[in-house]
Every structure is written in structure tokens, then in C-alpha cells.
Amino acid sequence: ILVGFARFNRVTHCKRLSEELGPALRLQLLAFYGWAFFHKLNADYLDPSVSCAAVFYRELGGRLAILPEAEWGAQAAIYASLAAEFSIPVLLVLRQTRPAGVLIGCGFHLILSVSGFFNFSSYMLALLFLFLPHDSVDRILQRAKSLRTVRGVIGRFKPVTIRAAYLWITRALFAMALLVLFSQASLDSGNGPARLLVLPFEDQRSIISQGVEIVWWGWAAAVTLLFVGAIQASSTAWPSAARLLCLRSPLYVIPVLLLVLNGALPYLGLSTEHSFAMFSNLRTEGKRPNHLILKGGAVWGKY
């Protein structure tokens, strides 16, 4: 929808495209975090015996031996996830705390990616990039060019070689994106449906799935360094919240409102899927709704 609006308004330049679409995408990110936090305010999510956060924490312990196996570790994971999803949007809105919000968001989604949510984490990191000052990359390059070591390394390569390397890296990332798109596709393996890409905790992981994880961590490391470098290089260039979130056209209100409405669907009795309530233990139907604030469940309609 946003791209369609941009074409309708004849937005062609990359910088202008970012300025046009950026505020709406930022508002959508903030709304997503708000709903993700609100959905988790239910009795089951706070219960370590059934909480999705506790389940993923125990599975994560199988990959990271440093995590304590005690029950308090699962409880800490529950409240840490709530704290992250509440604090990230608040910190991103305020100019003084925005760098902390970007770093916490980056760290939070890197942790989620350890659990195998590469597609979700890559999407959220891309949206977090929109909260950096628009000239962050230019500032990083200027600092890099001032370093003698960097000048010596770059000077050995011809511009044609650099452009070709950039092109092939872009193609490789695009290929990885296509693989991620197929992550939910069911393939007949003879023993029932099997997905091309599966979570690290699941059995029968394919070579492709393992390869995508390797590529992801290389890309995630580069993005993390970019965030850190941008924050260091842009210490005094952070725009105000009004400038960051001000929509350029009333048309851009439509996708933002659609996203907000989509998050409210479980409480309207219209839908419980694709409403940012995944892994939240939220239950709004039946005789036992579990939300701590909206205790009555869906306000209209029952399944």
C-alpha cells in the first residue's frame, strides 16, 4: 500500500522515498510493539509452566549452555520480554533515548533470531534502521575514509570491483530472502509435510536451513556494527519525534490505522491469527479469557 502511494505521488528518488514512507513505517513499528506488549498481559503468559517465553527460554538453553536451568530463569525471560517490548517503542520516540532504543531493539531481535526467527528479526531490524538519522551511513563512510588502514584496503580495489562485489552480495541476500519466503511452504518428504526452513530446535533440518542461518548471522553482525557505528557518528544529529513521525500525506494514515485495527481484532471477536498475538498465550474466546485488563474477552461475537 505504501509503495503504491509513493508511485501515485510520483516519488522516485531514494531519499525522497524514505522521507515519504518513513514516518508511516515508524508508526507501524511502534504500533506493533504496543500490541505485542498488550497481548502478553495475560495470566498464562505470566505463568512459567505454560508461558511461550518460558518454553522458548528452555529450548534456548539447549543451544546456550550459559543460561541457568533454574525456574527463575524462565520467569526472568517472561518479564524481560515484556520489558523489552514496552521500553523499545518508548525509547524510540524520545530523541534523548532513541540510541538506547535502537540498541535494545537490535539486541532483542538478535536473541529472538537465536531461536530461529530469522525472517521476523530481519524485518524488524530493517524497520529499526529507519529510526537512525538519514545521513548515518554517510557519516560512517566519512569516518571510515579518515582511517589510514581503511584507505589502504579500499585503495587496492578498483571501483568496478567494489560495485561488482556489492551486486553479488545483494543477489545473495535476495536469494536468502526467497528461501525465507518458502519457510512456511509444506513439502512432501514421504513422512508427512516438512518445511524447507525449520527452527533450530526442530528435527530434520536441511542443509539449506543451516546455510540460511549462517548467512543470517553474518548479515546480522554487519547490521549490528552499522547500528553501533551510526550511533557513534550521529551523537548530535537525532531528529525530533515530531519530525520523525509526521506523515507527509493523509493517505499514509490508512495503512497505519489498518495495522492498529488488525492488532485489535482478537478483542473484537473477528480474528485471532495474524494480529501480532503470536506466542503471547492470549485467549479471548470461550468461557475463560485470560487477559488481565480486558477480562471479558471478545466484545462481540463468539466462535
Side-chain angles (χ1 to χ4, degrees):
I1 293 177
L2 288 175
V3 173
F5 288 159
R7 290 179 178 177
F8 177 78
N9 292 328
R10 296 182 179 179
V11 179
T12 56
H13 194 272
C14 183
K15 181 178 179 181
R16 188 182 173 191
L17 181 65
S18 175
E19 293 175 350
E20 283 283 332
L21 304 184
L25 292 172
R26 296 184 190 103
L27 286 171
Q28 288 182 318
L29 178 69
L30 297 177
F32 169 83
Y33 276 123
W35 278 125
F37 169 76
F38 187 77
H39 291 329
K40 291 181 176 64
L41 296 179
N42 63 75
D44 290 329
Y45 189 81
L46 300 179
D47 183 358
S49 63
V50 295
S51 175
C52 288
V55 171
F56 281 115
Y57 175 83
R58 296 184 185 101
E59 292 179 339
L60 196 61
R63 303 193 85 192
L64 302 177
I66 61 174
L67 295 179
E69 298 181 0
E71 190 64 20
W72 65 264
Q75 293 177 337
I78 294 172
Y79 292 101
S81 62
L82 287 172
E85 291 183 337
F86 174 80
S87 63
I88 290 173
V90 175
L91 295 174
L92 289 176
V93 169
L94 303 176
R95 183 195 309 197
Q96 296 81 359
T97 59
R98 197 169 302 142
V102 171
L103 290 179
I104 294 175
C106 181
F108 178 64
H109 290 290
L110 288 179
I111 293 174
L112 292 183
S113 65
V114 177
S115 298
F117 301 107
F118 313 123
N119 50 353
F120 173 66
S121 294
S122 61
Y123 180 73
M124 300 304 288
L125 290 179
L127 291 179
L128 282 174
F129 182 82
L130 295 175
F131 285 85
L132 296 176
H134 69 277
D135 59 346
S136 296
V137 176
D138 294 335
R139 289 173 177 265
I140 293 175
L141 293 177
Q142 290 175 359
R143 282 197 173 190
K145 290 179 181 179
S146 64
L147 299 176
R148 183 178 303 176
T149 304
V150 175
R151 288 203 308 266
V153 173
I154 296 178
R156 299 178 182 178
F157 299 94
K158 297 180 180 180
V160 176
T161 304
I162 297 176
R163 284 196 296 269
Y166 173 79
L167 178 61
W168 282 106
I169 291 174
T170 304
R171 289 173 177 173
L173 292 175
F174 181 73
M176 183 184 73
L178 290 179
L179 291 175
V180 171
L181 288 177
F182 287 116
S183 62
Q184 300 301 321
S186 294
L187 303 175
D188 189 1
S189 62
N191 297 319
R195 287 179 292 136
L196 182 63
L197 301 181
V198 298
L199 299 180
F201 310 115
E202 297 176 349
D203 297 329
Q204 299 179 348
R205 293 191 69 195
S206 65
I207 297 178
I208 295 178
S209 181
Q210 295 173 353
V212 168
E213 181 175 3
I214 294 174
V215 174
W216 154 259
W217 283 114
W219 182 82
V223 171
T224 302
L225 291 176
L226 176 63
F227 281 157
V228 174
I231 290 173
Q232 292 180 343
S234 309
S235 58
T236 60
W238 298 85
S240 64
R243 180 181 174 186
L244 203 68
L245 303 175
C246 181
L247 298 175
R248 298 301 181 92
S249 169
L251 291 174
Y252 297 133
V253 176
I254 298 176
V256 176
L257 291 180
L258 287 176
L259 185 141
V260 173
L261 175 62
N262 185 68
L265 292 182
Y267 310 103
L268 299 176
L270 298 176
S271 174
T272 55
E273 286 191 74
H274 312 298
S275 55
F276 320 128
M278 56 283 188
F279 309 120
S280 66
N281 296 93
L282 178 66
R283 185 173 60 251
T284 58
E285 303 171 7
K287 299 180 180 180
R288 297 176 55 194
N290 63 359
H291 201 274
L292 299 177
I293 298 176
L294 301 179
K295 298 182 180 180
V299 297
W300 106 56
K302 292 186 178 180
Y303 296 91

